[in-house]
Amino acid sequence: MTSNKADTIPELKSCVLETIEERYPANEWLHINTDVSYLAETNGAGTGWFCRLFEGSLSVGKNATNHDGEVLAVCEATTQLLSVGLAPPKVFFIDSQAAIVALIRNTSTDCLNTIQCLTKIVELVSSGWTAALHCVPSHVRIPGDERADQKAKQGAESIHPEVALTLRRAKIINIH
């Protein structure tokens, strides 16, 4: 008997919500959801972020990847956190494992967006804040993730800047 993700969404959602509540209780952690959406009509992607205090969206651009969008969303949300000046721990819920790995690994990178985002996260941590990156599955109807997805779609509808086509991006685009 075969199974697909649609068949397991209720169980997956229940497991995700239980894990989030156990590890990052909403009364102790500020939950920040990020998402990326591609819109074929505009040939570009948008990124969005949402938490109970603020939300936002941006166009990621043509030739951009899901990774680019997730990193940009974390960077923009971190910038907003720094301007608000809140002290509770923050957790970013991201559905891109590649973006999380890029942001937590201790190796050099040539990706300007990743470098800028790492700089913002270091600034958060240096200010005494706790930040966590947690992977969540996409499309299982997690409330904050659904709002971030709506914001990402708004960003995808915006005018898209040209993004440099790096070798890494070309390889990803060629695969898909």
Side-chain angles (χ1 to χ4, degrees):
M1 180 173 174
T2 62
S3 176
N4 64 34
K5 186 175 175 179
D7 295 335
T8 60
I9 284 178
E11 293 84 10
L12 185 58
K13 179 179 179 179
S14 175
C15 183
V16 168
L17 291 173
E18 182 179 320
T19 301
I20 289 171
E21 186 53 38
E22 180 181 309
R23 293 184 180 179
Y24 310 105
N27 62 334
E28 297 174 20
W29 289 78
L30 179 63
H31 295 186
I32 304 156
N33 295 82
T34 66
D35 208 348
V36 177
S37 185
Y38 176 78
L39 191 59
E41 296 85 46
T42 63
N43 192 28
T47 189
W49 56 96
F50 169 79
C51 74
R52 62 181 164 81
L53 301 175
F54 56 80
E55 58 188 46
S57 65
L58 285 174
S59 171
V60 180
K62 295 179 182 179
N63 300 325
T65 65
N66 186 12
H67 172 272
D68 296 322
E70 292 287 358
V71 169
L72 181 60
V74 172
C75 188
E76 291 297 321
T78 302
T79 299
Q80 286 186 301
L81 283 171
L82 289 165
S83 69
V84 172
L86 296 173
K90 289 91 179 130
V91 60
F92 291 90
F93 295 114
I94 304 169
D95 62 9
S96 167
Q97 290 181 4
I100 292 173
V101 169
L103 292 171
I104 64 171
R105 68 180 177 183
N106 195 19
T107 58
S108 63
T109 180
D110 62 351
C111 180
L112 183 59
N113 286 344
T114 302
I115 293 168
Q116 290 172 336
C117 189
L118 286 169
T119 302
K120 294 287 183 187
I121 292 172
V122 167
E123 190 176 341
L124 266 180
V125 173
S126 296
S127 299
W129 298 358
T130 301
L133 303 172
H134 186 88
C135 190
V136 295
S138 59
H139 309 294
V140 293
R141 299 183 189 99
I142 303 298
D145 190 55
E146 291 295 310
R147 290 284 298 272
D149 183 52
Q150 291 171 356
K151 299 306 291 182
K153 287 177 181 168
Q154 287 177 1
E157 293 170 350
S158 303
I159 296 173
H160 297 288
E162 282 293 327
V163 175
L165 188 58
T166 63
L167 181 59
R168 179 182 62 84
R169 286 190 184 108
K171 286 179 181 178
I172 291 170
I173 291 168
N174 192 35
I175 292 171
H176 300 289

